[in-house]
Amino acid sequence: MGTIYKDTHILKSLVVCDDTKDSRTKKVFHALDTICHEFDLGSPIWLDANIKDFQRFSKVRFSQDNFIEVLDFDYFQLEIIEED
C-alpha cells in the first residue's frame, strides 16, 4: 500500500495486489513502480535508513530527501500488507 500524507492527512492511497510467484523484493519494486506511476511521482531514492526501516517493519517513509523533484506533501509511505 502506498500513501501520501500532508499535515497528518491522507491525500492519496493505493493498494497493489501481486499474486505472482515473483520474489518478495520483485513484488515490492513492482508495486512501488505502479504506485509512483499512478501518483505521477518520481521513484524515491532508497537511503540506508530507509532500507533498515523497511527490513525491520515492512514499512518505509520517503520524504523530500528521497526525491529529486520538490514535493507538495510531507511524505510518501510504502507498507507491505500480507494476507495469510
Side-chain angles (χ1 to χ4, degrees):
M1 174 168 62
T3 310
I4 291 179
Y5 292 88
K6 182 168 184 152
D7 300 327
T8 70
H9 297 291
I10 295 174
L11 299 181
K12 295 180 184 179
S13 185
L14 179 66
V15 174
V16 175
C17 182
D18 190 340
D19 293 329
T20 65
K21 300 281 187 204
D22 286 339
S23 68
R24 184 174 190 258
T25 302
K26 285 185 181 183
K27 288 180 180 184
V28 167
F29 282 105
H30 177 261
L32 180 61
D33 288 344
T34 301
I35 293 166
C36 287
H37 179 74
E38 279 294 315
F39 291 170
D40 193 27
L41 184 62
S43 293
I45 299 166
W46 288 78
L47 303 174
D48 289 341
N50 300 118
I51 294 168
K52 288 177 185 175
D53 285 347
F54 191 73
Q55 289 172 338
R56 291 180 73 194
F57 307 112
S58 294
K59 184 187 324 186
V60 62
R61 287 184 180 184
F62 297 106
S63 61
Q64 182 62 61
D65 293 342
N66 301 98
F67 292 92
I68 295 172
E69 68 270 11
V70 176
L71 304 179
D72 60 349
F73 54 86
D74 294 333
Y75 63 91
F76 166 63
Q77 181 171 291
L78 180 67
E79 181 177 3
I80 303 303
I81 302 170
E82 297 184 36
E83 289 186 359
D84 293 331

mmCIF file of all heavy atoms in Angstrom, residues 1-2 14-22 26-28 30-32 34-35 79-83:
data_model
loop_
_atom_site.group_PDB
_atom_site.id
_atom_site.type_symbol
_atom_site.label_atom_id
_atom_site.label_comp_id
_atom_site.label_asym_id
_atom_site.label_seq_id
_atom_site.Cartn_x
_atom_site.Cartn_y
_atom_site.Cartn_z
ATOM 1 N N MET A 1 0.851 -1.167 0.000
ATOM 2 C CA MET A 1 0.000 0.000 0.000
ATOM 3 C C MET A 1 0.899 1.231 0.000
ATOM 4 O O MET A 1 1.864 1.310 0.758
ATOM 5 C CB MET A 1 -0.894 0.009 1.239
ATOM 6 C CG MET A 1 -1.706 1.276 1.361
ATOM 7 S SD MET A 1 -3.030 1.254 2.583
ATOM 8 C CE MET A 1 -2.151 1.014 4.084
ATOM 9 N N GLY A 2 0.573 2.167 -0.836
ATOM 10 C CA GLY A 2 1.290 3.430 -0.886
ATOM 11 C C GLY A 2 0.360 4.553 -0.479
ATOM 12 O O GLY A 2 -0.791 4.605 -0.911
ATOM 13 N N LEU A 14 -3.183 3.961 -2.342
ATOM 14 C CA LEU A 14 -3.400 2.940 -3.365
ATOM 15 C C LEU A 14 -2.864 1.610 -2.856
ATOM 16 O O LEU A 14 -1.760 1.546 -2.305
ATOM 17 C CB LEU A 14 -2.679 3.325 -4.662
ATOM 18 C CG LEU A 14 -2.781 2.347 -5.823
ATOM 19 C CD1 LEU A 14 -4.218 2.263 -6.335
ATOM 20 C CD2 LEU A 14 -1.850 2.759 -6.952
ATOM 21 N N VAL A 15 -3.660 0.568 -3.054
ATOM 22 C CA VAL A 15 -3.243 -0.784 -2.706
ATOM 23 C C VAL A 15 -2.978 -1.540 -3.993
ATOM 24 O O VAL A 15 -3.798 -1.510 -4.914
ATOM 25 C CB VAL A 15 -4.328 -1.512 -1.874
ATOM 26 C CG1 VAL A 15 -3.943 -2.960 -1.637
ATOM 27 C CG2 VAL A 15 -4.564 -0.791 -0.566
ATOM 28 N N VAL A 16 -1.840 -2.201 -4.065
ATOM 29 C CA VAL A 16 -1.476 -3.004 -5.231
ATOM 30 C C VAL A 16 -1.410 -4.456 -4.777
ATOM 31 O O VAL A 16 -0.703 -4.786 -3.828
ATOM 32 C CB VAL A 16 -0.110 -2.568 -5.807
ATOM 33 C CG1 VAL A 16 0.303 -3.476 -6.938
ATOM 34 C CG2 VAL A 16 -0.157 -1.122 -6.256
ATOM 35 N N CYS A 17 -2.149 -5.322 -5.453
ATOM 36 C CA CYS A 17 -2.152 -6.750 -5.146
ATOM 37 C C CYS A 17 -1.309 -7.467 -6.195
ATOM 38 O O CYS A 17 -1.505 -7.267 -7.391
ATOM 39 C CB CYS A 17 -3.579 -7.278 -5.149
ATOM 40 S SG CYS A 17 -3.697 -9.016 -4.715
ATOM 41 N N ASP A 18 -0.383 -8.285 -5.751
ATOM 42 C CA ASP A 18 0.501 -9.012 -6.657
ATOM 43 C C ASP A 18 0.477 -10.488 -6.286
ATOM 44 O O ASP A 18 1.059 -10.894 -5.285
ATOM 45 C CB ASP A 18 1.924 -8.452 -6.563
ATOM 46 C CG ASP A 18 2.840 -8.992 -7.629
ATOM 47 O OD1 ASP A 18 2.526 -10.056 -8.214
ATOM 48 O OD2 ASP A 18 3.880 -8.373 -7.885
ATOM 49 N N ASP A 19 -0.208 -11.298 -7.090
ATOM 50 C CA ASP A 19 -0.335 -12.728 -6.829
ATOM 51 C C ASP A 19 0.661 -13.559 -7.633
ATOM 52 O O ASP A 19 0.504 -14.777 -7.734
ATOM 53 C CB ASP A 19 -1.754 -13.196 -7.140
ATOM 54 C CG ASP A 19 -2.781 -12.602 -6.197
ATOM 55 O OD1 ASP A 19 -2.426 -12.337 -5.031
ATOM 56 O OD2 ASP A 19 -3.931 -12.398 -6.617
ATOM 57 N N THR A 20 1.663 -12.914 -8.200
ATOM 58 C CA THR A 20 2.645 -13.646 -8.995
ATOM 59 C C THR A 20 3.543 -14.490 -8.100
ATOM 60 O O THR A 20 3.540 -14.354 -6.880
ATOM 61 C CB THR A 20 3.521 -12.677 -9.821
ATOM 62 O OG1 THR A 20 4.290 -11.875 -8.921
ATOM 63 C CG2 THR A 20 2.677 -11.796 -10.726
ATOM 64 N N LYS A 21 4.327 -15.322 -8.722
ATOM 65 C CA LYS A 21 5.270 -16.182 -7.999
ATOM 66 C C LYS A 21 6.639 -15.517 -7.850
ATOM 67 O O LYS A 21 7.596 -16.152 -7.442
ATOM 68 C CB LYS A 21 5.435 -17.516 -8.743
ATOM 69 C CG LYS A 21 4.164 -18.296 -8.891
ATOM 70 C CD LYS A 21 3.841 -19.019 -7.628
ATOM 71 C CE LYS A 21 2.636 -19.929 -7.875
ATOM 72 N NZ LYS A 21 1.918 -20.235 -6.690
ATOM 73 N N ASP A 22 6.729 -14.224 -8.184
ATOM 74 C CA ASP A 22 7.997 -13.494 -8.069
ATOM 75 C C ASP A 22 8.458 -13.434 -6.620
ATOM 76 O O ASP A 22 7.687 -13.665 -5.689
ATOM 77 C CB ASP A 22 7.840 -12.057 -8.591
ATOM 78 C CG ASP A 22 7.747 -11.996 -10.098
ATOM 79 O OD1 ASP A 22 8.179 -12.956 -10.769
ATOM 80 O OD2 ASP A 22 7.239 -10.987 -10.615
ATOM 81 N N LYS A 26 11.008 -8.395 -5.782
ATOM 82 C CA LYS A 26 10.464 -8.012 -7.098
ATOM 83 C C LYS A 26 9.045 -7.478 -6.952
ATOM 84 O O LYS A 26 8.668 -6.521 -7.618
ATOM 85 C CB LYS A 26 10.503 -9.188 -8.065
ATOM 86 C CG LYS A 26 11.876 -9.480 -8.584
ATOM 87 C CD LYS A 26 11.846 -10.566 -9.637
ATOM 88 C CE LYS A 26 13.257 -10.842 -10.127
ATOM 89 N NZ LYS A 26 13.287 -11.840 -11.187
ATOM 90 N N LYS A 27 8.259 -8.106 -6.089
ATOM 91 C CA LYS A 27 6.886 -7.640 -5.865
ATOM 92 C C LYS A 27 6.876 -6.231 -5.278
ATOM 93 O O LYS A 27 6.069 -5.391 -5.672
ATOM 94 C CB LYS A 27 6.142 -8.598 -4.931
ATOM 95 C CG LYS A 27 5.788 -9.913 -5.564
ATOM 96 C CD LYS A 27 5.054 -10.783 -4.566
ATOM 97 C CE LYS A 27 4.680 -12.122 -5.142
ATOM 98 N NZ LYS A 27 3.878 -12.923 -4.209
ATOM 99 N N VAL A 28 7.780 -5.976 -4.329
ATOM 100 C CA VAL A 28 7.856 -4.656 -3.697
ATOM 101 C C VAL A 28 8.198 -3.591 -4.733
ATOM 102 O O VAL A 28 7.544 -2.548 -4.815
ATOM 103 C CB VAL A 28 8.885 -4.649 -2.546
ATOM 104 C CG1 VAL A 28 9.201 -3.234 -2.102
ATOM 105 C CG2 VAL A 28 8.378 -5.478 -1.386
ATOM 106 N N HIS A 30 7.900 -3.743 -7.991
ATOM 107 C CA HIS A 30 6.819 -3.626 -8.980
ATOM 108 C C HIS A 30 5.686 -2.770 -8.409
ATOM 109 O O HIS A 30 5.146 -1.890 -9.091
ATOM 110 C CB HIS A 30 6.299 -5.005 -9.377
ATOM 111 C CG HIS A 30 5.160 -4.943 -10.327
ATOM 112 N ND1 HIS A 30 3.854 -5.074 -9.922
ATOM 113 C CD2 HIS A 30 5.114 -4.713 -11.660
ATOM 114 C CE1 HIS A 30 3.053 -4.949 -10.959
ATOM 115 N NE2 HIS A 30 3.795 -4.723 -12.033
ATOM 116 N N ALA A 31 5.315 -3.017 -7.163
ATOM 117 C CA ALA A 31 4.258 -2.228 -6.523
ATOM 118 C C ALA A 31 4.679 -0.768 -6.397
ATOM 119 O O ALA A 31 3.876 0.139 -6.665
ATOM 120 C CB ALA A 31 3.925 -2.806 -5.151
ATOM 121 N N LEU A 32 5.926 -0.530 -6.020
ATOM 122 C CA LEU A 32 6.423 0.839 -5.900
ATOM 123 C C LEU A 32 6.359 1.558 -7.244
ATOM 124 O O LEU A 32 5.908 2.700 -7.313
ATOM 125 C CB LEU A 32 7.845 0.841 -5.352
ATOM 126 C CG LEU A 32 8.500 2.199 -5.163
ATOM 127 C CD1 LEU A 32 7.719 3.051 -4.174
ATOM 128 C CD2 LEU A 32 9.940 2.025 -4.701
ATOM 129 N N THR A 34 4.350 0.881 -9.755
ATOM 130 C CA THR A 34 2.930 1.074 -10.077
ATOM 131 C C THR A 34 2.355 2.264 -9.313
ATOM 132 O O THR A 34 1.658 3.112 -9.887
ATOM 133 C CB THR A 34 2.127 -0.202 -9.748
ATOM 134 O OG1 THR A 34 2.661 -1.288 -10.512
ATOM 135 C CG2 THR A 34 0.652 -0.023 -10.052
ATOM 136 N N ILE A 35 2.642 2.339 -8.016
ATOM 137 C CA ILE A 35 2.121 3.424 -7.181
ATOM 138 C C ILE A 35 2.686 4.767 -7.629
ATOM 139 O O ILE A 35 1.948 5.743 -7.773
ATOM 140 C CB ILE A 35 2.420 3.147 -5.693
ATOM 141 C CG1 ILE A 35 1.617 1.934 -5.218
ATOM 142 C CG2 ILE A 35 2.111 4.375 -4.847
ATOM 143 C CD1 ILE A 35 2.067 1.373 -3.884
ATOM 144 N N GLU A 79 3.983 0.480 2.505
ATOM 145 C CA GLU A 79 3.783 -0.531 3.539
ATOM 146 C C GLU A 79 3.353 -1.837 2.891
ATOM 147 O O GLU A 79 2.529 -1.855 1.986
ATOM 148 C CB GLU A 79 2.707 -0.063 4.519
ATOM 149 C CG GLU A 79 2.428 -1.014 5.635
ATOM 150 C CD GLU A 79 1.407 -0.481 6.628
ATOM 151 O OE1 GLU A 79 0.877 0.618 6.422
ATOM 152 O OE2 GLU A 79 1.148 -1.183 7.617
ATOM 153 N N ILE A 80 3.925 -2.924 3.376
ATOM 154 C CA ILE A 80 3.569 -4.246 2.872
ATOM 155 C C ILE A 80 2.463 -4.815 3.756
ATOM 156 O O ILE A 80 2.624 -4.914 4.980
ATOM 157 C CB ILE A 80 4.777 -5.210 2.877
ATOM 158 C CG1 ILE A 80 5.912 -4.623 2.053
ATOM 159 C CG2 ILE A 80 4.367 -6.590 2.377
ATOM 160 C CD1 ILE A 80 5.568 -4.298 0.622
ATOM 161 N N ILE A 81 1.373 -5.167 3.113
ATOM 162 C CA ILE A 81 0.259 -5.796 3.827
ATOM 163 C C ILE A 81 0.140 -7.199 3.248
ATOM 164 O O ILE A 81 -0.157 -7.369 2.074
ATOM 165 C CB ILE A 81 -1.051 -5.034 3.599
ATOM 166 C CG1 ILE A 81 -0.908 -3.599 4.054
ATOM 167 C CG2 ILE A 81 -2.201 -5.734 4.314
ATOM 168 C CD1 ILE A 81 -2.069 -2.715 3.657
ATOM 169 N N GLU A 82 0.384 -8.201 4.063
ATOM 170 C CA GLU A 82 0.355 -9.569 3.585
ATOM 171 C C GLU A 82 -0.835 -10.296 4.177
ATOM 172 O O GLU A 82 -1.090 -10.218 5.366
ATOM 173 C CB GLU A 82 1.646 -10.293 3.958
ATOM 174 C CG GLU A 82 2.851 -9.668 3.293
ATOM 175 C CD GLU A 82 4.122 -10.440 3.567
ATOM 176 O OE1 GLU A 82 4.052 -11.684 3.640
ATOM 177 O OE2 GLU A 82 5.167 -9.801 3.702
ATOM 178 N N GLU A 83 -1.540 -11.014 3.309
ATOM 179 C CA GLU A 83 -2.658 -11.843 3.762
ATOM 180 C C GLU A 83 -2.178 -13.274 3.877
ATOM 181 O O GLU A 83 -1.371 -13.735 3.099
ATOM 182 C CB GLU A 83 -3.808 -11.779 2.760
ATOM 183 C CG GLU A 83 -4.522 -10.461 2.741
ATOM 184 C CD GLU A 83 -5.737 -10.497 1.830
ATOM 185 O OE1 GLU A 83 -5.999 -11.539 1.206
ATOM 186 O OE2 GLU A 83 -6.406 -9.474 1.742
#
